[in-house]
C-alpha cells in the first residue's frame, strides 16, 4: 500500500466534503478531472465532465431543501503500476437544516495523480441503499 497516496486521497476527499458542506464551487473544481464522470445513486443519470458536475452542484446548492453529501472512505487502493487509485466507502445525504440523514449508500471513485502530486477524481459511482 502506498501510504502517501492513501493520505493524499483521504485529504482530497475531506476537502471535497468540506466544499460540498460549504456550497463552495471553487473548491470543488480542482478536485475533479476535466472529463470526470459521475453516476448518481438513485436514477443513475450520468454527469459527464467537470462543467456538468459544477452546474449540477450549483443547482443543488441553490435548493432550499438541499442535502449535504458526505463521502466516507473505507478503503483506498493505489495501483502499483499506474498513477491511479480506487476509493470505496459509504455516503450519506443529510438535510442542511436539521443534519438528519435522508439518504445513504455505497460509492466507489477512481482517482488519478496529476502534475505536482495532487489527485483528481476521474469517475464516481453511487448506489442508494437507504
Amino acid at each position: 500500500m502506498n501510504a502517501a497516496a492513501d493520505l493524499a486521497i483521504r485529504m482530497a476527499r475531506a476537502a471535497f466534503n468540506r466544499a460540498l458542506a460549504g456550497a463552495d464551487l471553487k473548491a470543488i473544481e480542482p478536485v475533479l478531472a476535466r472529463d470526470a464522470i459521475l453516476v448518481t445513486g438513485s436514477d443513475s443519470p450520468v454527469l459527464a465532465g467537470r462543467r456538468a458536475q459544477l452546474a449540477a452542484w450549483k443547482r443543488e446548492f441553490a435548493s432550499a431543501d438541499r442535502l449535504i453529501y458526505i463521502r466516507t472512505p473505507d478503503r483506498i487502493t493505489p495501483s502499483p503500476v499506474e498513477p491511479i487509485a480506487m476509493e470505496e466507502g459509504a455516503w450519506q445525504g443529510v438535510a442542511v437544516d436539521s443534519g438528519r440523514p435522508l439518504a445513504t449508500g455505497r460509492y466507489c471513485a477512481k482517482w488519478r495523480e496529476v502534475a505536482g502530486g495532487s489527485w483528481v477524481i476521474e469517475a464516481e459511482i453511487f448506489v442508494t441503499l437507504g
Side-chain angles (χ1 to χ4, degrees):
M1 157 83 71
N2 182 329
D6 184 278
L7 179 60
I9 291 168
R10 288 179 189 276
M11 289 176 59
R13 176 56 74 192
F16 195 80
N17 283 339
R18 285 190 304 275
L20 291 177
D24 187 350
L25 288 174
K26 290 194 183 296
I28 292 170
E29 186 173 359
V31 182
L32 297 173
R34 184 176 55 85
D35 296 325
I37 301 292
L38 182 141
V39 180
T40 67
S42 295
D43 298 331
S44 298
V46 175
L47 299 175
R50 181 190 305 136
R51 285 186 182 191
Q53 286 194 44
L54 292 173
W57 286 119
K58 185 176 183 178
R59 287 189 303 273
E60 178 74 18
F61 295 158
S63 174
D65 58 346
R66 82 175 182 100
L67 299 182
I68 295 175
Y69 293 96
I70 303 161
R71 283 83 166 201
T72 305
D74 295 332
R75 177 174 44 201
I76 309 291
T77 308
S79 170
V81 296
E82 296 289 337
I84 57 176
M86 177 67 74
E87 171 190 5
E88 300 168 76
W91 68 268
Q92 65 176 337
V94 300
V96 72
D97 57 349
S98 69
R100 194 175 111 233
L102 298 178
T104 61
R106 302 286 302 163
Y107 75 96
C108 64
K110 178 185 175 188
W111 291 80
R112 179 170 298 278
E113 187 177 22
V114 294
S118 61
W119 288 81
V120 296
I121 297 169
E122 287 192 327
E124 292 180 292
I125 298 174
F126 295 87
V127 175
T128 303
L129 301 173

